[in-house]
Amino acid sequence: MSYEALIEDMVAAQADIFGAAAVEMAQGVEGLALDESGAVERLERDGVAVVDDLVSTYVADLGGAATVTLKSAADDHADRVDLPTALQ
Amino acid sequence: MGTSFDASRLSGLAALALTALGVLVIVGTGASDRGLTEASAYLDLARSATHLLGLGSSVLLAYYAVQARRRFAGGVFGESATATAAGAGTFALAFLVMELNHGLGVDVLAVLGDMQLKMAVSMLLFTGTAFAFGWAFARIAGVLGGSDP
């Protein structure tokens, strides 16, 4: 388990609901490079900070309801990586 | 990023729109059993206004649903938007049929002949709308709640 895996699960959870738009939104997060399928290519910043920015991006674009699926996706990773406050 | 869709706000607006459209159906169909000769001029005007308001609201809702469908294609939200557009379309069709008959005297269901059959077709349009809206809501609620229908 890693931040890459956590991010991919978060993006996949959002893509299930919002389609390719969810990947496009995540591609706008600084320090995060994703391919079109939502797989992480590079993580160029601290994992917690990137995950926190990813949550903020989704909430800004989709509303607070987005955190429901993001928290659910993060649950499986909670004992392996540090989660930002927004996902706790 | 282009147009931003706030999912929770959109859900609230959709609920308000459905409530408003429901009221329109009650008002629109409640008066439709009266004959033209019995209806007052005021009621006549109110019926046309209700039909046109219902038609306009439905078309507007369908437009926004199509925009959301384009934005979220490939996801559950896109599927729900498709169902919402279809439901709004049948709703608009029902109001169009009613107003064509009431305002212009054009009975597009005349080919069906029997009045009961005409009413059944009208109710089928409303049923289709209710089913499409219900399915759209159930898909979103299901995936957010973790149990797809």
Side-chain angles (χ1 to χ4, degrees), chain A residues 16-19 21 61-63 68, chain B residues 4-7 71-73 75-77:
Chain A
D16 280 346
I17 303 174
F18 299 106
D61 282 354
L62 303 169
V68 175
Chain B
S4 174
F5 284 86
D6 185 321
R71 180 83 177 99
F72 300 119
V76 168
F77 207 87

Side-chain angles (χ1 to χ4, degrees), chain A residues 1-2 4 9 12-13 19 28 30-31 39-40 44 46-48 51 55 61-62 64-65 67 70 72-73 79-80 83:
Chain A
M1 285 292 185
S2 62
E4 284 84 351
D9 282 355
E30 184 186 348
V40 175
E44 298 167 342
D46 173 60
V48 178
V51 170
V55 173
D61 282 354
L62 303 169
T67 57
L70 294 176
S72 179
D79 56 348
R80 297 177 180 85
L83 297 177

Side-chain angles (χ1 to χ4, degrees), chain A residues 4-84:
Chain A
E4 284 84 351
L6 168 60
I7 289 167
E8 286 177 358
D9 282 355
M10 290 169 65
V11 172
Q14 292 301 88
D16 280 346
I17 303 174
F18 299 106
V23 178
E24 291 172 19
M25 291 172 199
Q27 286 173 328
V29 173
E30 184 186 348
L32 176 62
L34 297 172
D35 67 15
E36 290 181 357
S37 71
V40 175
E41 293 179 330
R42 289 186 311 281
L43 192 58
E44 298 167 342
R45 284 200 298 142
D46 173 60
V48 178
V50 171
V51 170
D52 196 31
D53 285 353
L54 183 59
V55 173
S56 298
T57 296
Y58 279 138
V59 169
D61 282 354
L62 303 169
T67 57
V68 175
T69 49
L70 294 176
K71 283 182 177 176
S72 179
D75 278 348
D76 292 339
H77 301 264
D79 56 348
R80 297 177 180 85
V81 296
D82 292 328
L83 297 177

